Structures are given as structure tokens and as C-alpha cells.
Amino acid sequence: LMYVHHVLQNIETYGLNSSSIRNVVFIADKDTLKRFVNPAMYSRFHTSLLEIVAYPDRIQVNTIPESIFNEAHDGNKREILVLDGLKSITTSGPVVFERILVTGYLKGRFFINDDDYASKRNFYYSPIQFPPTITRDSMSFRENIDLWMNQGSIPDTANRMALRMVFIDRKGERRALSAKSKENLFKILREICAKRGFTFEVVAFEGKPASEQIKLVHDAAIVMGVHGANLVNSIFMPPLAVLIEIFPFRFSHVMYVEGGMASLKYYALHVSQGSEYPGLSELKMSADECVRKQEVCKVFYRDALMELSNGDFTEVTKIMQDAFNYLAQVASPLSTTLE
């Protein structure tokens, strides 16, 4: 989905123009397709994300409109199709594409670095010290979010941060903080936020529709959470906001660094204590090597219940201080210039 967003925002880079793209076809596997066929069962997340990416074009799931076969084409309209395969559009005979652009897969990120492709579009910069990488695609994505949320208009508050810190909580004990650690962490965070004039909120996304999930982080200056799929919602945060990711003992990942190139300032807290994998000694390798090479080992550390140490709480305090010092610099909107 996010690669298609990149293409639609950089059509000239691929030798096309906006009126030349008549159809966008997503070929979805069985597991993905069900999320579009029954969107309510999956918080409408995938459907909402595609609506944002394709805005204002219409989305059709497992339906083939006759208009895609018409020679005459309204250059202002595209068909966005989610299908289980190309066979469904060849029932009346073979289909020849005049031109086709096949997208790739973004590994470990949601947006492409501006340096990775040629473009004449505006690029963004910030005069603050040590800003995150600011990507064009993440900025245009946020514009689509505002258009999608506000029926085609962009509010004056777009890309503005509120004095809010949001902690994304997880249900259950898989890849979660222990009750005692959570209690102590929340106490520290509430006190720190109160001193800075910030509110501190704990939210859980389970059971909430995508639109509500987006609203919960859309103006948050700071979001913190344990590594996992919930942090995908960081792409809906304001540019230059702060994302703090908590990693279980022995585990780390680059997926959400800077929000997956979403123009966010990023900090990581690595939990310093925990249980070792029971079969580690028999494997005759270090824990780090075990995590890299053995799936069962990786899952053991990644999904463990976390107990924060005194040193971890000290590190949290330091990260929060650094984050607030950074945010103090973010006092004006982003500037733009032509490349």
C-alpha cells in the first residue's frame, strides 16, 4: 500500500503523468483479501489506509467495473481495485495493458528516503538541531490523512502538535510490561509530563476502528509503546513528533526507526534484564547470535513479559528529558524549498 502511495505521489519519476494512470490493481492473498472483504472485523484498518493512499479515488473490492474496459477515459478518475487475482478481469478474454508499473515491497519502512529517487517535488528541511530525516512521501501522506478525515479540506491545525504524550498499551502478557513495571513507569511518566505541562494518556487500540486509532495519535507530540504492530500508527503522528520504542530483553528491530521514515524523532529503550532462552547453552552461541539465527529463540525473547530495572527507569527519565529538550526546538512549522 505504501509503495503505491509513493508511486502516486511521484508519477513523473516513473515516466508517467497523473492522467495516464487509469487503474490501480491490488492483488491480495487470501489472508489480506479478507481484511478488505470484511473490513469491520479488522477495525477497517487496511481499508482506511487504502482510502487514505488513494484519496479521493473510489475503491472496489472483488468487483470489476465496466469502465476499466472503456477506451474513453476521464483523466480525473481512477479505479482502485482489490482483487484475488487477475483472472477475474479476463473472463471475457485476454486483457492487454497499454503500460504497467509493478511496485515493489518496502522492507522495514513505510516511506522512501528522498535521496533514493529523483524528483522535482518540494523537499522539506527543519532548522532545529539533530532533526529526523524528513521525507516527502510522509508529508504528502499526512496531507491525504487530513483530506480523508475532514471531507476534502485541510484544517489550520494540520501537522500541529498538542501537548500530549500517549502510551500505547497492549492487552495480555505477550510482549508486555509486568503489572508492577507498568505501574511504576506510568507514575514516572505522569510526573514528568505534568512538570512540562503535558497530559499523559494510556490507550489501547484493540477493538477501536482505524479512524479512532488515527485520532488518538494524530496530534500527539510523544508516543511510547512496546515494539509491535501497534506502532504502525506512528505514521499518523505529526511530523517531527517523538516516537519512543520499548524493546524486550535481548531483542531489537529497525522497523520503526524514525517511524519507518515517517519524519519522526526516534528513541529506543532496551530492557536490560530478563530470562535467557532455556536451550541457549546447548546451541553453543551467544544470545545475540541465537536471536539472529534461530526463529524459536527470537520469538522467546521478543514475546517475553518484561520487568523494568532501576537502571531502565533511569534511562526512561533520560530519554524523556532528551525528548522534551528536542521538542522545545520544534516551535515553527516545517519549511519547504525546491530541490
Side-chain angles (χ1 to χ4, degrees):
L1 292 181
M2 302 312 294
Y3 211 125
V4 169
H5 167 73
H6 164 73
V7 172
L8 293 178
Q9 297 298 319
N10 298 277
I11 290 174
E12 291 77 11
T13 296
Y14 296 93
L16 304 172
N17 58 68
S18 57
S19 63
S20 67
I21 296 184
R22 296 180 53 170
N23 307 298
V24 177
V25 181
F26 288 92
I27 304 301
D29 59 29
K30 184 178 180 181
D31 184 63
T32 303
L33 185 65
K34 67 184 182 183
R35 301 170 189 274
F36 290 99
V37 174
N38 300 299
M41 293 180 61
Y42 301 94
S43 302
R44 290 198 85 253
F45 190 89
H46 290 72
T47 300
S48 297
L49 185 59
L50 181 52
E51 288 173 350
I52 292 169
V53 166
Y55 189 89
D57 295 323
R58 182 179 59 169
I59 298 168
Q60 300 197 55
V61 179
N62 268 354
T63 301
I64 310 298
E66 286 298 322
S67 59
I68 73 168
F69 301 111
N70 294 341
E71 289 294 330
H73 173 54
D74 182 349
N76 295 319
K77 292 183 179 179
R78 286 189 291 256
E79 296 290 353
I80 311 295
L81 310 179
V82 181
L83 307 174
D84 59 359
L86 287 177
K87 285 185 177 180
S88 52
I89 64 174
T90 61
T91 54
S92 300
V95 172
V96 177
F97 292 94
E98 182 177 309
R99 191 171 186 181
I100 185 168
L101 174 61
V102 182
T103 61
Y105 171 67
L106 291 177
K107 176 67 174 177
R109 56 180 172 166
F110 304 108
F111 303 100
I112 297 177
N113 192 317
D114 292 359
D115 294 336
D116 291 346
Y117 64 98
S119 175
K120 294 182 179 180
R121 293 170 57 210
N122 285 357
F123 72 90
Y124 295 80
Y125 70 92
S126 173
I128 65 176
Q129 190 176 24
F130 306 121
T133 304
I134 303 168
T135 54
R136 299 183 188 94
D137 288 351
S138 71
M139 297 303 294
S140 59
F141 179 73
R142 289 181 172 93
E143 183 175 325
N144 277 19
I145 294 171
D146 285 313
L147 291 169
W148 178 77
M149 292 177 65
N150 298 282
Q151 291 77 51
S153 63
I154 298 179
D156 295 336
T157 56
N159 292 336
R160 302 285 179 165
M161 299 181 210
L163 303 184
R164 298 174 58 229
M165 177 175 184
V166 174
F167 186 94
I168 302 175
D169 204 2
R170 295 173 62 94
K171 293 183 179 180
E173 296 187 351
R174 176 178 169 271
R175 206 184 313 168
L177 296 168
S178 69
K180 186 63 176 177
S181 290
K182 193 182 294 187
E183 178 185 348
N184 291 336
L185 177 63
F186 289 175
K187 181 176 183 293
I188 291 171
L189 294 176
R190 283 194 181 94
E191 290 175 354
I192 293 174
C193 286
K195 289 178 181 178
R196 299 281 186 157
F198 273 59
T199 61
F200 175 71
E201 307 161 35
V202 179
V203 304
F205 291 144
E206 288 87 352
K208 289 182 173 62
S211 57
E212 187 174 345
Q213 296 181 36
I214 293 170
K215 288 178 182 178
L216 285 170
V217 301
H218 193 48
D219 66 353
I222 305 175
V223 166
M224 177 185 283
V226 174
H227 172 79
N230 279 332
L231 294 189
V232 171
N233 287 281
S234 63
I235 64 177
F236 305 117
M237 294 172 65
L240 301 183
V242 171
L243 175 64
I244 304 172
E245 183 173 15
I246 301 174
F247 285 107
F249 179 59
R250 301 284 196 200
F251 183 80
S252 64
H253 202 285
V254 299
M255 181 77 179
Y256 300 108
V257 173
E258 296 191 341
M261 299 301 293
S263 308
L264 301 179
K265 186 68 173 178
Y266 176 83
Y267 299 91
L269 172 68
H270 297 269
V271 174
S272 63
Q273 63 180 14
S275 300
E276 297 288 8
Y277 177 60
L280 188 60
S281 59
E282 298 175 5
L283 293 173
K284 296 181 180 181
M285 61 178 66
S286 68
D288 290 341
E289 189 178 7
C290 180
V291 170
R292 292 196 309 271
K293 295 182 177 181
Q294 302 284 336
E295 179 70 16
V296 65
C297 186
K298 181 185 77 173
V299 172
F300 174 84
Y301 287 112
R302 185 194 66 191
D303 292 350
L305 185 67
M306 288 171 278
E307 193 76 48
L308 300 180
S309 67
N310 290 334
D312 293 331
F313 289 121
T314 299
E315 183 65 15
V316 167
T317 301
K318 180 181 181 301
I319 288 173
M320 291 299 295
Q321 181 179 350
D322 290 346
F324 279 118
N325 290 341
Y326 158 80
L327 286 171
Q329 303 178 72
V330 187
S332 62
L334 290 170
S335 300
T336 65
T337 187
L338 283 174
E339 191 171 17

